[in-house]
Every structure is written in structure tokens, then in C-alpha cells.
Amino acid sequence: MRDLLRLTDDELLAATRDDPEAFGVFYSRHVDFVIAFLRQSTGDIETALDLTAEVFAAALVASRRYRAGEAPARAWLVGIARNKRADAHQRRGRERSMRERLGMPHREFSDAEMERVELSADASDGYADGLAELPPAQREAIEARVIEERDYAEIAADTGTSQATVRQRVSRGLTRLARTKEPRP
Amino acid sequence: MSLPRSESDPRMTIRADLVAAGRRRVAKRQRRRSAALATIAVAGVLGTAGAAAKIEGSSTGVPVLDRVLEISAERHPPAPSRSRDGEIVGPPPFDVRPGPSGASPPVELPWGTDGSAGTGIGVAYLNRSGHLCFVVVGPERRADRGGLGCTMERIVRDWLATAPAAVTTAGGAGRDLSAVNGFARADVVALRYEAPDGPVDAILGEPWRPGGASAKPIRPFVALFELETDRLDPRSLMRAISNGNLTATLDDGRVVEVRRGR
């Protein structure tokens, strides 16, 4: 039997088709990051947790289409998370959720359970607070470049700006983030 | 990362739900592998269907595909439209047999989205009534479950005059497995089809000249993709499949998107 914990993300996603436990390992590896990312952008842990379940359900369905080497798996997850966040924001509920498609039950968690997740998300959320305080253009540029690892050209095309502008936003944002992490007198 | 081993950790609950959902999908796929190819629906541009029950004097070059055509002819005997006094009106009877120019090189089709379900095979040919056809069998090579789709050649040529590739037929290829096929210009080196659940790479056949050496070469293609058919009603499903965009990469490196209305 394979030791799934030793597999790379790409290998786990490839193995998911025949071995769902591989997806479980992939989930465990990234769930806190996704929760932190969604909590930072939605503002509350309950919504973030709900969207996280939806993100991984979508990732499970889409895992067979994941192409190793095109982008890191975490960037792929962030792309799904952004789409789910946008869907939730625009209340696009015409199609059934991915969890429904998969026959997953709808879960409601107690405040105590969510607090536990929030504490854990806080611990893995090093970038979130500082990022939230950045101007939106800088925050989006950093998310796209640093977290999602997208090309400057692609980000520039998406945002209708030049590559130079995107580089400048990333650079200034990172500088500002670094300053917020410096010890204060 | 260390997750608490408690049953009440929401993350562990979601993980268990996901793994259980994955197991259901694996079980469903294993059942599906025994399902055979369903007949690929013929596009609406097809005229009257039917032909002689025996394929004589022409062949696809692949015996099991010849048998698919024989079965198709048996199931849909020639039925030309006639007026009240018995005069034949309308288009000539549809003749399923390959014309004298023969068939394209066989196209091997890794079945399923990752090819794990075996290899089907198909060929394209120009039939005797001017239709470009594609005949296919799945990995079980059962002729009685093969598929055939035909579209008038002049219509395909019109489409390819304005776009590098065109879908001609679409339909089911087994339980939860769907297929589109069509034709691409010879300068297309790669093709992606945007299925309702995401893009898939189409399988391109070798360039081939339907109708003989003087004809412009084209390439048949097939895209196979999984689709959970309970997601949409059948009409919406067919519309979604038929309207999927194509992205063609040409031999000079250009990438051309063929938007088809979705």
C-alpha cells in the first residue's frame, strides 16, 4: 500500500480518481490555508467554512482535469476559492451546489466548533491581517502574483493595466507588508 | 499542519464527507465501465437515413466498423420520400456505405477521460450520398453498440471555411460519458473542447482527403468527457454539449477560439 503522505500534490490529485483517500490527504494539507484565505476575504468563519467545503467538493469533481505542472495545486485551489467567493457574493444559486451534486450532507457547526477552526486558521493566517489593510489594488496584485503565482502578463490583462503597474503594486504591497511585521517600539 | 483528532472538528467532518463522496464516485465509475457505447446522435442536417443492408464493394478498413454500418443499414432501411403517385421526391436515399475514396486512417480513442477504460476506434469517411461520416465503437468493440454520425460534406466545408474546426455530432457514449465529434482543418495541431464541466483535449485523427487526392485535407476529431447527466434536463444538456467552444492551436502557433454560442 502506498504511503499517501509522501506523495506530492500533483500525485495525490492524480491518485484521487481511484483512491479517494488521496484526496483526503490533499485536503488535510491545504484546508487551513483555504479557510484562512476565505475568512480573510469574507470576514467571518462560518461563511469561510461553508465555502471551504464547497471549494474542496469542486476540487474533487475537477481533480481529473487538474494538469500537473501548469500551476501549483495551491494556486489552482485559490482559483476555485475565488470563483466560489464570487458566486456567493453575487448569490448565483441557480445551479445546485457541488456538495449537493456529490450527495454530501449540509453541515451546521456549533459556535464552539467554529471557534476551534478560527483559532487554527489564525495560526496559519500570517499574511491575512496585513494583507487586509493594504489598498485593494495592491492586495489583489499580491494575491494574484504571490498566492496564485500567476504571470504578470495575465494579471495585467485581467485588470486592464500594464505589467509595469502590476509589478509596482506587488512591490509596494510587499514592502508595506514587511513594514507591518516589523516590531513596533 | 496538525489537525485535532476530534470528531467534532468541522474540518475532519468535511474531510470524511469528501472521502465518502469520492468513494461513491469511484463505485459509480466502476459500474459505468461495463456500460457500452450508445449510438451517437446524428446531427439535424442529416437527410433520409437508410441503405442496403450489406456493405458491398467498400469498406472502412476496420471489420468491426463495417459491421456497425451494416447494423445501421438494417435498422434504418432506405426510405426515400415519395409523392402520392409514387414518384420519388426530396433528397436521394441516404447511403451509409463509404464512397470510392475510402476511409480515413483509424483513430484510436482512449476511452473515458483518462483512457483507463480501454481504447475505442473510429474512422471518418465520405459516404455515397455526399455526407462526411464518423463511425465508432467503444473498447468492447461491440458492433451492435457502435455509433454513427453524418453531416453533409458541403456544410462541413462551409464551416471550415470560416473556422479551423467544427463539431458535427454530439451525444452519449456510455453512462455518464459523452462525446462530440467533428472535423478540423489540416493545419490544426491541437484542439480543446469546452465541455459543460470543463475543457478536454480532443483526439485528432491524421489529415485525410475525403473524396480523393484533389480534395482539401481535413482531420476528424473526437472529444470524450464525463458528464453527470442528472445535472441538467436532457434538452439543456444537449444544448450545452452542442454549444461548447473549441480552442484550436494551428501549426504556426496561433491559437484560435471557435465560439459556438454558450
Side-chain angles (χ1 to χ4, degrees):
Chain A
M1 188 175 162
R2 283 182 300 182
D3 183 356
L4 294 174
L5 293 173
R6 291 177 180 274
L7 298 185
T8 65
D9 287 345
D10 290 353
E11 289 167 339
L12 287 172
L13 289 170
T16 290
R17 183 177 174 84
D18 296 314
D19 184 359
E21 188 56 38
F23 191 78
V25 174
F26 176 79
Y27 166 89
S28 295
R29 204 174 275 178
H30 297 289
V31 62
D32 283 349
F33 173 82
V34 172
I35 290 173
F37 175 80
L38 288 167
R39 196 198 59 164
Q40 185 266 321
S41 54
T42 62
D44 80 281
I45 192 67
E46 186 174 4
T47 305
L49 201 52
D50 190 58
L51 285 176
T52 297
E54 189 64 19
V55 165
F56 279 99
L60 174 62
V61 171
S63 59
R64 63 174 186 255
R65 295 195 300 273
Y66 174 78
R67 289 170 179 275
E70 278 192 358
R74 182 166 283 195
W76 176 68
L77 273 178
V78 169
I80 297 173
R82 288 171 72 103
N83 287 337
K84 292 295 175 190
R85 186 183 61 187
D87 283 351
H89 183 65
Q90 295 173 19
R91 298 191 183 282
R92 290 188 288 219
R94 282 168 294 177
E95 288 194 17
R96 288 186 302 155
S97 76
M98 204 57 81
R99 278 171 292 172
E100 277 183 75
R101 278 184 60 186
L102 290 173
M104 289 170 62
H106 180 75
R107 303 280 186 189
E108 291 190 359
F109 299 108
S110 68
D111 289 347
E113 287 170 329
M114 283 188 286
E115 275 173 22
R116 160 179 277 174
V117 175
E118 186 153 33
L119 284 172
S120 189
D122 278 340
S124 63
D125 194 13
Y127 74 93
D129 290 340
L131 204 56
E133 291 169 8
L134 292 178
Q138 289 179 11
R139 186 178 67 236
E140 286 166 16
I142 289 177
E143 281 183 359
R145 177 61 191 158
V146 179
I147 301 172
E148 298 172 29
E149 300 182 29
R150 292 162 63 198
D151 291 340
Y152 281 113
E154 187 189 351
I155 303 165
D158 277 2
T159 53
T161 55
S162 67
Q163 290 188 47
T165 302
V166 177
R167 285 177 194 277
Q168 191 180 56
R169 287 174 180 171
V170 171
S171 172
R172 288 183 177 171
L174 289 174
T175 304
R176 201 161 164 171
L177 270 179
R179 283 188 190 141
T180 63
K181 300 218 175 281
E182 287 170 1
R184 290 176 186 172
Chain B
M1 187 202 69
S2 61
L3 290 179
R5 286 281 174 195
S6 166
E7 290 298 318
S8 62
D9 186 318
R11 291 167 298 179
M12 296 304 286
T13 307
I14 294 168
R15 186 189 193 281
D17 288 345
L18 286 164
V19 171
R23 290 205 176 100
R24 286 194 295 274
R25 286 170 68 80
V26 170
K28 188 177 175 185
R29 195 177 304 115
Q30 285 168 345
R31 288 196 300 273
R32 189 189 305 145
R33 280 178 186 162
S34 63
L37 175 70
T39 301
I40 293 177
V42 177
V45 290
L46 181 63
T48 310
K54 279 287 176 189
I55 305 300
E56 292 171 350
S58 58
S59 169
T60 63
V62 181
V64 68
L65 296 178
D66 286 345
R67 183 62 192 139
V68 173
L69 298 185
E70 287 175 7
I71 291 169
S72 172
E74 287 163 6
R75 287 178 180 169
H76 306 285
S81 303
R82 292 178 184 277
S83 65
R84 283 184 182 173
D85 58 5
E87 185 184 357
I88 293 177
V89 296
F94 180 76
D95 190 334
V96 75
R97 293 175 296 176
S101 62
S104 73
V107 185
E108 293 210 338
L109 303 167
W111 215 250
T113 52
D114 60 1
S116 61
T119 305
I121 191 168
V123 301
Y125 64 92
L126 183 64
N127 76 0
R128 297 187 177 206
S129 46
H131 296 82
L132 276 171
C133 300
F134 193 82
V135 57
V136 60
V137 288
E140 294 176 342
R141 308 294 169 106
R142 283 189 56 173
D144 60 335
R145 292 181 175 175
L148 170 66
C150 299
T151 304
M152 289 183 74
E153 185 199 16
R154 63 178 175 78
I155 292 175
V156 177
R157 293 287 186 191
D158 284 350
W159 286 340
L160 295 185
T162 57
V167 169
T168 54
T169 58
R175 195 176 299 163
D176 285 354
L177 188 65
S178 297
V180 295
N181 77 275
F183 296 91
R185 293 195 308 233
D187 62 343
V188 172
V189 295
L191 191 64
R192 295 196 92 183
Y193 165 73
E194 192 182 308
D197 278 350
V200 292
D201 289 327
I203 300 149
L204 279 162
E206 293 298 312
W208 151 78
R209 296 175 189 272
S214 61
K216 274 190 179 175
I218 58 175
R219 304 182 73 173
F221 72 83
V222 178
L224 291 160
F225 52 96
E226 288 184 359
L227 192 62
E228 292 183 22
T229 49
D230 58 347
R231 188 171 149 222
L232 297 167
D233 65 87
R235 181 174 291 185
S236 303
L237 193 65
M238 282 308 296
R239 193 182 303 124
I241 291 172
S242 301
N243 286 343
N245 295 336
L246 296 165
T247 305
T249 304
L250 308 185
D251 57 9
D252 61 4
R254 282 183 298 150
V255 175
V256 180
E257 188 167 0
V258 183
R259 293 201 165 273
R260 306 187 58 243
R262 193 187 308 152

